[in-house]
Coordinates of all heavy atoms in Angstrom, one line a residue:
P867 N 4.0 -52.8 56.2 CA 2.8 -52.1 55.8 C 2.6 -52.0 54.3 O 1.5 -51.7 53.8 CB 3.1 -50.6 56.4 CG 4.1 -50.8 57.5 CD 5.0 -52.0 57.0
E868 N 3.7 -52.2 53.5 CA 3.6 -52.2 52.0 C 2.8 -53.4 51.5 O 2.1 -53.4 50.5 CB 4.9 -52.2 51.4 CG 5.7 -50.9 51.6 CD 7.0 -50.8 50.8 OE1 7.8 -51.8 50.9 OE2 7.2 -49.8 50.1
V869 N 3.0 -54.6 52.2 CA 2.4 -55.8 51.7 C 1.3 -56.4 52.6 O 0.3 -56.9 52.2 CB 3.5 -56.9 51.5 CG1 2.9 -58.1 50.8 CG2 4.7 -56.3 50.7
S870 N 1.5 -56.3 53.9 CA 0.5 -56.6 54.9 C 0.1 -58.1 54.9 O -1.1 -58.4 55.1 CB -0.7 -55.7 54.7 OG -0.3 -54.4 54.8
I871 N 1.0 -59.0 54.8 CA 0.8 -60.4 54.9 C 1.2 -60.8 56.3 O 2.3 -60.6 56.8 CB 1.5 -61.3 53.9 CG1 1.1 -60.9 52.5 CG2 1.4 -62.8 54.2 CD1 1.8 -61.6 51.4
G872 N 0.3 -61.5 57.1 CA 0.5 -61.9 58.4 C 1.6 -63.0 58.6 O 1.8 -63.7 57.6
T873 N 2.2 -63.0 59.7 CA 3.2 -64.1 60.0 C 2.5 -65.3 60.6 O 1.6 -65.2 61.4 CB 4.3 -63.6 60.9 OG1 3.7 -63.1 62.1 CG2 5.1 -62.5 60.3
L874 N 2.9 -66.5 60.1 CA 2.4 -67.7 60.6 C 3.5 -68.7 60.9 O 4.6 -68.5 60.5 CB 1.5 -68.4 59.5 CG 0.2 -67.6 59.1 CD1 -0.4 -68.3 57.9 CD2 -0.8 -67.5 60.2
G875 N 3.2 -69.7 61.7 CA 4.2 -70.8 62.0 C 4.4 -70.9 63.5 O 4.0 -70.1 64.3
G876 N 5.0 -72.1 63.8 CA 5.2 -72.4 65.2 C 6.5 -71.7 65.8 O 7.5 -71.7 65.1
I877 N 6.4 -71.1 67.0 CA 7.5 -70.6 67.6 C 7.6 -71.1 69.0 O 6.6 -71.7 69.6 CB 7.4 -69.0 67.7 CG1 6.2 -68.6 68.5 CG2 7.4 -68.4 66.3 CD1 6.1 -67.1 68.7
R878 N 8.8 -71.0 69.6 CA 9.0 -71.5 71.0 C 8.7 -72.9 71.2 O 8.0 -73.3 72.1 CB 8.3 -70.6 72.0 CG 8.7 -69.1 72.0 CD 7.8 -68.2 72.9 NE 8.4 -66.9 73.0 CZ 7.7 -65.9 73.4 NH1 6.4 -66.0 73.8 NH2 8.3 -64.7 73.6
K879 N 9.1 -73.7 70.2 CA 8.8 -75.2 70.2 C 10.0 -75.9 70.8 O 11.2 -75.6 70.5 CB 8.5 -75.6 68.8 CG 7.3 -75.0 68.2 CD 6.0 -75.5 68.8 CE 4.8 -75.0 68.0 NZ 3.5 -75.5 68.5
E880 N 9.8 -77.0 71.5 CA 10.9 -77.8 72.0 C 11.5 -78.6 70.8 O 10.7 -78.8 69.8 CB 10.3 -78.8 73.0 CG 9.9 -78.2 74.3 CD 11.0 -77.6 75.1 OE1 12.2 -77.9 74.8 OE2 10.7 -76.8 76.0
P881 N 12.7 -78.9 70.8 CA 13.7 -78.7 71.9 C 14.4 -77.3 71.9 O 15.4 -77.2 72.6 CB 14.7 -79.8 71.6 CG 14.7 -79.9 70.1 CD 13.3 -79.6 69.7
Y882 N 13.8 -76.3 71.2 CA 14.4 -75.0 71.2 C 13.4 -73.9 71.6 O 12.8 -73.2 70.8 CB 14.9 -74.7 69.8 CG 15.9 -75.7 69.3 CD1 15.5 -76.6 68.2 CD2 17.2 -75.9 69.8 CE1 16.3 -77.6 67.7 CE2 18.0 -76.8 69.3 CZ 17.6 -77.7 68.3 OH 18.5 -78.6 67.8
P883 N 13.1 -73.9 72.9 CA 12.0 -73.0 73.4 C 12.3 -71.5 73.2 O 11.3 -70.7 73.3 CB 11.9 -73.3 74.9 CG 13.3 -73.9 75.2 CD 13.7 -74.6 74.0
E884 N 13.5 -71.1 72.9 CA 13.8 -69.7 72.7 C 13.6 -69.2 71.3 O 13.5 -68.0 71.0 CB 15.3 -69.4 73.1 CG 15.6 -69.8 74.5 CD 14.8 -69.0 75.5 OE1 14.6 -67.8 75.3 OE2 14.3 -69.6 76.5
I885 N 13.4 -70.2 70.4 CA 13.3 -69.8 69.0 C 11.9 -69.1 68.8 O 10.9 -69.5 69.2 CB 13.3 -71.1 68.0 CG1 14.8 -71.5 67.9 CG2 12.7 -70.7 66.7 CD1 14.9 -72.7 66.9
G886 N 12.0 -67.9 68.1 CA 10.8 -67.1 67.9 C 10.6 -66.0 68.9 O 9.6 -65.3 68.8
N887 N 11.5 -65.8 69.9 CA 11.2 -64.8 70.9 C 11.2 -63.4 70.2 O 10.3 -62.6 70.6 CB 12.4 -64.8 71.9 CG 12.1 -65.9 73.0 OD1 11.1 -66.5 73.0 ND2 13.1 -66.1 73.8
V888 N 12.1 -63.1 69.3 CA 12.1 -61.8 68.7 C 10.8 -61.6 67.8 O 10.2 -60.5 67.9 CB 13.4 -61.6 67.9 CG1 13.3 -60.2 67.2 CG2 14.6 -61.7 68.8
L889 N 10.5 -62.6 67.1 CA 9.3 -62.6 66.3 C 8.1 -62.4 67.1 O 7.2 -61.6 66.7 CB 9.2 -63.8 65.4 CG 8.1 -63.9 64.4 CD1 8.2 -62.7 63.4 CD2 8.1 -65.2 63.7
A890 N 8.0 -63.0 68.2 CA 6.8 -62.9 69.1 C 6.8 -61.4 69.6 O 5.7 -60.8 69.8 CB 6.9 -63.9 70.2
E891 N 7.9 -60.9 69.9 CA 8.0 -59.5 70.4 C 7.5 -58.5 69.3 O 6.8 -57.5 69.6 CB 9.4 -59.2 70.8 CG 9.6 -57.8 71.4 CD 11.1 -57.6 71.8 OE1 11.8 -58.5 71.9 OE2 11.4 -56.4 72.1
L892 N 7.9 -58.7 68.1 CA 7.5 -57.8 67.0 C 6.0 -58.0 66.7 O 5.3 -57.0 66.3 CB 8.3 -58.2 65.7 CG 9.8 -57.8 65.8 CD1 10.5 -58.5 64.6 CD2 10.0 -56.3 65.8
G893 N 5.5 -59.2 66.8 CA 4.1 -59.4 66.4 C 3.8 -59.2 65.0 O 4.7 -59.4 64.1
N894 N 2.6 -58.9 64.6 CA 2.3 -58.6 63.2 C 2.8 -57.2 62.9 O 2.2 -56.2 63.3 CB 0.9 -58.8 62.9 CG 0.5 -60.1 62.3 OD1 1.4 -60.7 61.6 ND2 -0.7 -60.6 62.6
I895 N 3.9 -57.1 62.2 CA 4.5 -55.8 62.0 C 3.6 -54.7 61.3 O 3.6 -53.6 61.8 CB 5.8 -56.0 61.1 CG1 6.8 -56.8 61.9 CG2 6.5 -54.6 60.8 CD1 8.0 -57.3 61.1
Y896 N 2.9 -55.1 60.3 CA 2.1 -54.2 59.6 C 0.9 -53.6 60.4 O 0.4 -52.5 60.2 CB 1.6 -54.8 58.3 CG 0.4 -55.7 58.4 CD1 -0.9 -55.3 58.4 CD2 0.7 -57.1 58.6 CE1 -2.0 -56.2 58.5 CE2 -0.4 -58.0 58.7 CZ -1.7 -57.6 58.7 OH -2.7 -58.4 58.8
K897 N 0.5 -54.3 61.5 CA -0.6 -53.9 62.3 C -0.1 -52.9 63.3 O -0.9 -52.1 63.8 CB -1.3 -55.1 63.0 CG -2.1 -55.9 62.1 CD -2.8 -57.0 62.8 CE -3.7 -57.9 61.9 NZ -4.4 -58.9 62.6
N898 N 1.2 -52.9 63.7 CA 1.7 -52.0 64.7 C 3.1 -51.6 64.3 O 4.1 -52.0 65.0 CB 1.6 -52.6 66.1 CG 1.9 -51.6 67.2 OD1 2.1 -50.4 66.9 ND2 1.9 -52.1 68.4
Y899 N 3.3 -50.9 63.2 CA 4.6 -50.6 62.7 C 5.4 -49.7 63.7 O 6.6 -49.8 63.8 CB 4.5 -50.0 61.3 CG 5.9 -49.9 60.7 CD1 6.5 -51.1 60.2 CD2 6.5 -48.7 60.5 CE1 7.8 -51.0 59.6 CE2 7.8 -48.6 59.9 CZ 8.4 -49.8 59.4 OH 9.6 -49.7 58.8
A900 N 4.7 -48.9 64.4 CA 5.3 -48.0 65.4 C 6.1 -48.8 66.4 O 7.2 -48.4 66.9 CB 4.3 -47.1 66.1

């Protein structure tokens, strides 16, 4: 919430489909910090 820059980039890409699971769960942190 201090800086509010959105996250970008590819996640869950082969050959590592699990990469980015936690980031996807968090989403854009500053928009829903709760």
